[in-house]
């Protein structure tokens, strides 16, 4: 199998707004990232993926871009960006940027022009529809709540926005628009970035016959997914983008998609090595694991069907079907340890056990900022603490116009709000967790006094120290990434164990995905092996709650 830097890399995702504020305005920025690069290097990180840093009015924290070629004022200048890139490269690390090309901000000059008339150069850059009955063209509801259509007084027509109304969707059928996008990508390539994560890429094509969609029970709007997601032309667009924006000498630049509505098992549609589309794609396998969307309570996790089937499923996927990121969380989910582990009694054990699974499988690990110290969902956020635009829009739809109680709505936010994973990075027990000297744009999780980098860096038995050791081990042993994968005792509903092997080594990974003490299977006990790493001090045949171990098998 071909090796690439991005297959070997351990990547770290930074939600810039929440990572480190260098100038005391309560908002994370690029200088803040520069100041923390030595920490990331120490941790063993090879590449950094940044959420969008382009100019934006920030209705959706940078996912509404008003100028693709400038840096957001709050984050710094172009000069700061160039310094950041050179400091990253100096440390032999890489930079992956977010590319938001499904939509722009409604303040982007293209949209401002497009609104003006039906016959200017940009009229056709967005998806406009006229109606005669004063109603939107159809019943689609947007991802962020409310109708997917907004009426524009100036143009006297509706425009489509699958996200917020401040994020009008681009019309990818328009060739001139596509050429403009490719030019913009070339601009960033010329500045020597190392890769792109392409936002919402599987939405580039919409069914522009705009049929009404099915309204599910309890909903106000039609569910538009099958008309706006993973449609066939998306693949043509990606192939064209690959050819036109990148050339041979740039084949080292990694292209990662964000593809809602697919799991690891059909990620090959976008990543198969013979399809010339993406290098890898973020699937949505773990987003709603452990969440009951009826009661808005956390539920037990079915280890075999939701964890093993997905993780081992990907590990056993033929390599021709592409390469996969190994990740649990990002800025659109909740915190890993809260959703997939236990963020109370077993926070240390479950966070380290999950880290162990993530770093001993084939794929590129993406560590979401703060997961390396076991940051968790805030448990005491009130309605006014939330910042996400989708919270505001959904509140309008569900509570103001719908029949949900506010209590039910808040219960839902505690379980699924994206703000759960966007709280400021917990650097120390100083004011505002060492993130800023001033009040941050979003509230700090009140557990920062006990959960922070400074404390964990000093402690050899912390989650952070465990991550650092694991990353070093993964990098020292190719087997853990490229080796073959074999489940053992698959039917076990509490333990998840597997072998990784190549010509040089065989490792046996054993984890306990439960709160009980569980004996290892006989066939594992009898293997001649040596313990390399564990998240418990004493180790015997009985696996402790959320225990995780790596053994080297003796030959
Ligand atoms: C993607 C991003 C998300 C954003 C949306 C609209 O899903 O990850 O944060 O809100 O696209 O750009
Ligand atoms: Ca700042």
């Amino acid at each position: 199998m071909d090796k690439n830097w991005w297959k070997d890399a351990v990547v770290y995702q930074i939600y810039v707004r929440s990572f480190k504020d260098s100038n005391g305005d309560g908002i994370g920025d690029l200088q803040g990232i520069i100041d923390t690069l030595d920490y990331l290097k120490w941790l063993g990180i090879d590449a950094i993926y940044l959420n969008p840093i382009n100019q934006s009015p920030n209705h959706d924290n940078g996912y509404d871009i008003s100028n693709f070629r400038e840096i957001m004022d709050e984050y710094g200048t172009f000069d700061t960006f160039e310094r950041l890139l050179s400091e990253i490269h100096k440390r032999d690390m890489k930079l992956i940027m977010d590319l938001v090309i499904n939509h722009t901000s409604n303040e982007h000059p293209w949209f401002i022009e497009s609104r003006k008339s039906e016959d200017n150069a940009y009229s056709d850059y967005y998806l406009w529809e006229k109606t005669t009955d004063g109603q939107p063209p159809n019943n689609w509801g947007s991802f962020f709540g409310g109708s997917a259509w907004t009426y524009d007084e100036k143009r006297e027509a509706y425009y489509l926005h699958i996200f917020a109304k401040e994020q009008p969707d681009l019309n990818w059928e328009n060739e001139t628009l596509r050429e403009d996008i490719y030019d913009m990508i070339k601009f960033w390539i010329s500045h020597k970035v190392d890769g792109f994560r392409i936002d919402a890429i599987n939405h580039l094509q919409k069914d522009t016959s705009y049929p009404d969609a099915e309204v599910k029970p309890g909903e106000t709007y039609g569910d538009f997914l099958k008309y706006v997601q993973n449609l066939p032309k998306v693949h043509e667009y990606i192939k064209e983008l690959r050819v036109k924006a990148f050339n041979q000498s740039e084949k080292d630049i990694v292209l990662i998609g964000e593809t809602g509505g697919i799991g690891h098992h059909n990620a090959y549609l976008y990543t198969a090595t013979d399809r010339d589309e993406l290098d890898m794609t973020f699937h949505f396998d773990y987003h709603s694991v452990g969440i009951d969307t009826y009661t808005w309570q956390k539920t037990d996790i079915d280890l075999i069907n939701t964890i093993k089937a997905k993780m081992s499923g990907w590990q056993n996927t033929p390599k021709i079907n592409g390469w996969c990121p190994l990740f649990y969380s990002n800025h659109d989910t909740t915190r890993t340890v809260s959703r997939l582990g236990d963020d109370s009694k077993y926070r240390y054990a479950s966070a380290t056990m999950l880290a162990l699974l993530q770093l001993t499988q084939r794929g590129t690990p993406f560590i979401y900022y703060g997961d390396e110290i076991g940051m968790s969902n805030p448990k005491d956020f009130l309605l006014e603490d939330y910042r996400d635009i989708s919270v505001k829009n959904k509140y309008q739809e569900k509570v103001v116009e719908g029949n949900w109680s506010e209590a039910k709505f808040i219960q839902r936010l505690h379980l699924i709000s994206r703000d759960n994973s966007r709280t400021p990075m917990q650097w120390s027990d100083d004011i505002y967790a060492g993130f800023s000297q001033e009040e941050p744009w979003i509230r700090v999780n009140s557990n920062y006094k006990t959960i922070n980098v400074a404390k964990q860096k000093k402690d050899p038995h912390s989650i952070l120290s465990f991550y650092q050791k694991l990353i070093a081990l993964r990098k020292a042993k190719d087997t853990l990434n490229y080796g073959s994968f074999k489940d053992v005792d698959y039917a076990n509903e509490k333990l998840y164990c597997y072998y990784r092997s190549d010509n040089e080594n065989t490792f046996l990974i054993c984890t306990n995905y439960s709160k009980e003490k569980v004996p290892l299977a006989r066939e594992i006990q009898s293997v001649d092996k040596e313990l390399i790493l564990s998240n418990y001090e004493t180790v015997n045949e009985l696996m402790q709650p959320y225990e995780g171990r790596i053994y080297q098998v003796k030959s």
Side-chain angles (χ1 to χ4, degrees):
M1 140 171 292
D2 291 349
K3 290 194 175 180
N4 293 83
W5 70 263
W6 46 266
K7 287 184 183 161
D8 288 324
V10 174
V11 187
Y12 189 87
Q13 178 183 346
I14 295 181
Y15 197 65
V16 183
R17 217 174 172 72
S18 302
F19 197 57
K20 182 85 176 113
D21 173 23
S22 72
N23 63 348
D25 62 358
I27 297 173
D29 48 54
L30 301 189
Q31 181 60 48
I33 299 175
I34 298 176
D35 297 342
T36 58
L37 288 178
D38 288 335
Y39 163 72
L40 297 177
K41 188 70 191 172
W42 166 83
L43 183 58
I45 300 303
D46 305 295
I48 297 169
Y49 150 45
L50 297 182
N51 287 104
I53 59 170
N54 305 107
Q55 215 164 70
S56 162
N58 278 311
H59 291 285
D60 188 20
N61 294 350
Y63 282 97
D64 46 326
I65 294 177
S66 54
N67 187 335
F68 284 112
R69 295 170 198 238
E70 284 295 345
I71 302 298
M72 194 191 297
D73 294 338
E74 292 161 332
Y75 288 175
T77 60
F78 211 88
D79 198 49
T80 335
F81 168 75
E82 292 200 303
R83 251 184 323 109
L84 170 65
L85 189 58
S86 95
E87 292 295 327
I88 288 176
H89 286 163
K90 226 191 255 172
R91 288 168 178 79
D92 207 15
M93 297 195 278
K94 309 265 189 192
L95 178 69
I96 300 169
M97 303 258 297
D98 219 316
L99 201 58
V100 187
I101 55 179
N102 171 71
H103 47 271
T104 65
S105 158
N106 58 346
E107 294 180 27
H108 192 286
W110 294 343
F111 190 73
I112 294 174
E113 280 307 301
S114 194
R115 289 178 65 191
K116 286 186 182 159
S117 67
E118 283 172 28
D119 51 12
N120 68 67
Y122 298 94
S123 318
D124 208 19
Y125 268 39
Y126 296 85
L127 296 160
W128 294 99
E129 285 291 303
K130 274 195 181 309
T131 61
T132 48
D133 58 359
Q135 294 299 315
N138 66 19
N139 69 354
W140 293 357
S142 82
F143 284 120
F144 290 169
S147 168
W149 297 95
T150 291
Y151 185 72
D152 184 81
E153 302 276 344
K154 219 177 207 167
R155 173 97 179 222
E156 297 180 331
Y158 286 89
Y159 63 88
L160 181 73
H161 52 88
I162 63 173
F163 297 97
K165 67 177 192 314
E166 294 83 0
Q167 296 167 297
D169 280 66
L170 288 163
N171 174 15
W172 269 74
E173 285 189 31
N174 183 328
E175 204 183 323
T176 330
L177 171 267
R178 299 205 301 274
E179 294 294 340
D180 274 350
I181 296 276
Y182 305 148
D183 277 351
M184 178 274 286
I185 297 175
K186 285 185 200 153
F187 168 83
W188 287 103
I189 294 175
S190 76
H191 281 88
K192 303 271 178 275
V193 304
D194 305 293
F196 298 97
R197 173 265 192 195
I198 315 182
D199 186 59
I201 193 161
N202 56 329
H203 299 299
L204 298 184
Q205 187 193 3
K206 281 92 185 172
D207 180 342
T208 51
S209 68
Y210 301 127
D212 270 333
E214 185 197 339
V215 182
K216 302 223 164 104
E219 297 293 332
T220 317
Y221 295 96
D223 176 3
F224 64 1
L225 279 185
K226 71 175 184 199
Y227 305 113
V228 303
Q229 183 161 287
N230 300 319
L231 300 186
K233 263 201 183 160
V234 171
H235 298 283
E236 284 173 36
Y237 295 144
I238 299 175
K239 284 188 209 294
E240 184 183 275
L241 177 151
R242 179 123 233 170
V243 172
K244 293 203 169 171
F246 298 83
N247 66 36
Q248 276 306 324
S249 62
E250 281 128 13
K251 66 177 187 314
D252 250 9
I253 295 180
V254 66
L255 274 195
I256 310 157
E258 187 221 11
T259 49
I262 67 163
H264 78 271
H265 56 283
N266 50 9
Y268 69 87
L269 289 172
Y270 291 97
T271 59
T273 51
D274 56 356
R275 288 177 62 103
D276 293 326
E277 295 186 25
L278 302 168
D279 295 313
M280 33 181 165
T281 194
F282 285 112
H283 57 73
F284 277 57
D285 271 352
Y286 311 120
H287 275 220
S288 34
V289 168
I291 293 171
D292 183 324
T293 53
Y294 184 70
T295 60
W296 301 114
Q297 302 285 352
K298 201 175 151 146
T299 59
D300 286 343
I301 292 176
D302 172 344
L303 178 61
I304 295 182
N305 291 312
T306 53
I307 302 293
K308 291 189 186 182
K310 291 172 180 177
M311 290 188 186
S312 298
W314 157 243
Q315 298 302 306
N316 291 316
T317 301
K319 298 200 173 108
I320 175 89
N321 286 342
W323 192 256
C324 219
L326 301 168
F327 75 109
Y328 303 124
S329 303
N330 64 20
H331 60 291
D332 293 329
T333 63
T334 54
R335 279 286 167 190
T336 300
V337 71
S338 302
R339 182 166 26 96
L340 298 175
D342 174 337
D343 64 7
S344 306
K345 185 169 175 197
Y346 296 112
R347 199 178 60 86
Y348 168 81
S350 63
T352 46
M353 182 278 288
L354 287 161
L356 198 145
L357 291 177
Q358 184 182 24
L359 288 154
T360 58
Q361 296 189 4
R362 173 170 57 99
T364 300
F366 279 71
I367 297 169
Y368 185 57
Y369 87 92
D371 272 4
E372 78 275 23
I373 54 169
M375 276 175 64
S376 61
N377 293 351
K379 293 188 182 10
D380 54 358
F381 264 34
L382 308 171
L383 196 54
E384 69 251 31
D385 294 321
Y386 291 91
R387 295 286 175 271
D388 185 357
I389 187 168
S390 76
V391 170
K392 290 173 197 148
N393 293 350
K394 290 267 181 202
Y395 183 82
Q396 182 67 23
E397 181 185 321
K398 303 280 184 202
V399 183
V400 179
E401 288 159 24
N403 56 9
W404 282 31
S405 69
E406 191 162 306
K408 177 174 171 184
F409 189 72
I410 294 176
Q411 200 182 352
R412 175 183 188 270
L413 295 180
H414 282 171
L415 199 66
I416 64 157
S417 169
R418 308 193 294 180
D419 283 337
N420 285 304
S421 67
R422 296 177 177 184
T423 60
M425 178 67 174
Q426 293 165 207
W427 292 104
S428 67
D429 62 5
D430 289 348
I431 187 162
Y432 302 126
F435 161 76
S436 176
Q437 296 294 316
E438 293 299 323
E439 189 176 351
W441 70 279
I442 188 170
R443 212 179 117 188
V444 175
N445 191 321
S446 27
N447 62 19
Y448 75 93
K449 294 251 178 210
T450 47
I451 302 175
N452 63 62
V453 173
K455 189 166 176 224
Q456 294 196 20
K457 208 161 172 224
K458 283 191 283 207
D459 175 3
H461 301 293
S462 64
I463 299 175
L464 181 60
S465 298
F466 193 81
Y467 261 95
Q468 198 248 358
K469 272 183 236 153
L470 253 178
I471 294 173
L473 180 66
R474 178 181 177 90
K475 292 214 270 185
K477 307 286 183 193
D478 248 10
T479 322
L480 292 174
N481 189 10
Y482 294 101
S484 67
F485 179 95
K486 194 166 143 254
D487 279 294
V488 44
D489 193 19
Y490 190 84
N492 197 313
E493 288 168 3
K494 304 216 160 63
L495 303 185
Y496 185 18
C497 306
Y498 50 85
Y499 287 105
R500 301 299 317 274
S501 34
D502 61 14
N503 294 338
E504 294 190 358
N505 300 295
T506 296
F507 293 99
L508 170 61
I509 289 64
C510 298
T511 61
N512 180 357
Y513 211 116
S514 86
K515 296 184 174 63
E516 287 155 45
K517 295 183 183 173
V518 188
L520 279 172
R522 282 242 174 81
E523 56 178 312
I524 295 178
Q525 288 186 30
S526 60
V527 172
D528 190 9
K529 57 195 182 300
E530 184 191 332
L531 186 71
I532 309 255
L533 190 67
S534 151
N535 60 353
Y536 273 77
E537 300 259 309
T538 45
V539 162
N540 54 38
E541 276 79 57
L542 216 51
M543 293 284 286
Q544 302 297 309
Y546 293 110
E547 182 168 357
R549 306 175 186 173
I550 304 181
Y551 290 106
Q552 178 142 27
V553 176
K554 295 186 181 162
S555 48

